[in-house]
Amino acid sequence: MSRRPIITLPDPLLRQASAPIERVDDELGRLIDDMLETMYEAPGVGLAGPQVGISLRVFTFDDGQTGPSFMANPVLFGGEGELLEEEGCLSIPGPYHETKRYARIMCSGQDVDGAPLELTGGGLLARIFQHETDHLDGMLFIDRLDDEGRRSVLAELRRIELGLEDPPSKRRLTRRSEG
């Protein structure tokens, strides 16, 4: 296993739709292992292929209850309710902003062996599914914000990059979604 660099905004790969996983093989297994190591070391609760420079429909996740997990070719459906909580992103390091997501959603795809997999997520797990699938579609959480929210996140990111502001504490990750 080896840690991979996490690409950040404004890298154009973050804005491209990812290609489907065509076959499950040892190379994909190594990618999953690398992504999990990278996700935990960051630290984060989810990580999508494009965030490590791989334009494939794959993400890893761990909501603290399901353990290290993986999904290939995810499809979301059956979204219910609404959840408004702070959300961050390893590809936009630092800022968090309240982001509206479904409170519960189903995610189907393939597991590490290529077998069909269907999971239902609520709360943080639902947020992870939606956040990571957005990455696979070339979207970032800031795309779900209104103009004021997006400007606020980008301004905070700029202040952090310039050293004018310290990034938020990493302890937020235990309760918040970042991936």
Side-chain angles (χ1 to χ4, degrees):
M1 289 196 314
S2 64
R3 185 180 191 284
R4 294 179 179 233
I6 296 174
I7 64 171
T8 58
L9 197 65
D11 191 302
L13 186 61
L14 295 171
R15 296 306 197 166
Q16 297 172 8
S18 299
I21 298 285
E22 303 261 335
R23 59 173 207 216
V24 175
D25 56 15
D26 289 345
E27 188 177 333
L28 180 61
R30 284 189 296 279
L31 172 63
I32 294 164
D33 289 343
D34 290 353
M35 287 177 63
L36 284 167
E37 181 178 330
T38 303
M39 179 186 79
Y40 285 124
E41 197 172 296
V45 295
L47 188 67
Q51 292 181 277
V52 292
I54 306 296
S55 188
L56 291 173
R57 294 191 69 78
V58 56
F59 66 80
T60 57
F61 63 98
D62 186 346
D63 67 344
Q65 295 180 20
T66 58
S69 299
F70 155 87
M71 181 74 73
N73 301 321
V75 175
L76 300 178
F77 62 97
E80 299 174 355
E82 184 179 292
L83 192 59
L84 182 65
E85 288 186 344
E86 282 192 326
E87 191 167 318
C89 182
L90 296 173
S91 292
I92 306 174
Y96 290 80
H97 199 279
E98 285 192 337
T99 307
K100 191 184 311 184
R101 299 283 188 178
Y102 286 114
R104 183 175 170 83
I105 199 159
M106 297 184 78
C107 185
S108 67
Q110 296 167 288
D111 69 12
V112 71
D113 297 316
L117 177 65
E118 188 172 290
L119 299 171
T120 301
L124 178 58
L125 187 55
R127 183 170 294 277
I128 292 168
F129 288 162
Q130 293 166 86
H131 182 105
E132 302 310 331
T133 301
D134 276 356
H135 275 299
L136 304 180
D137 294 334
M139 286 185 66
L140 299 168
F141 85 96
I142 58 174
D143 299 325
R144 297 201 171 270
L145 305 178
D146 61 20
D147 287 342
E148 183 180 331
R150 191 172 20 267
R151 279 194 304 273
S152 172
V153 168
L154 294 175
E156 183 178 347
L157 178 62
R158 186 71 178 141
R159 289 189 303 273
I160 291 168
E161 289 171 343
L162 292 172
L164 302 173
E165 189 173 309
D166 289 330
S169 170
K170 296 239 181 198
R171 67 181 163 72
R172 300 172 96 169
L173 291 176
T174 60
R175 299 239 187 268
R176 302 290 192 269
S177 168
E178 184 169 305

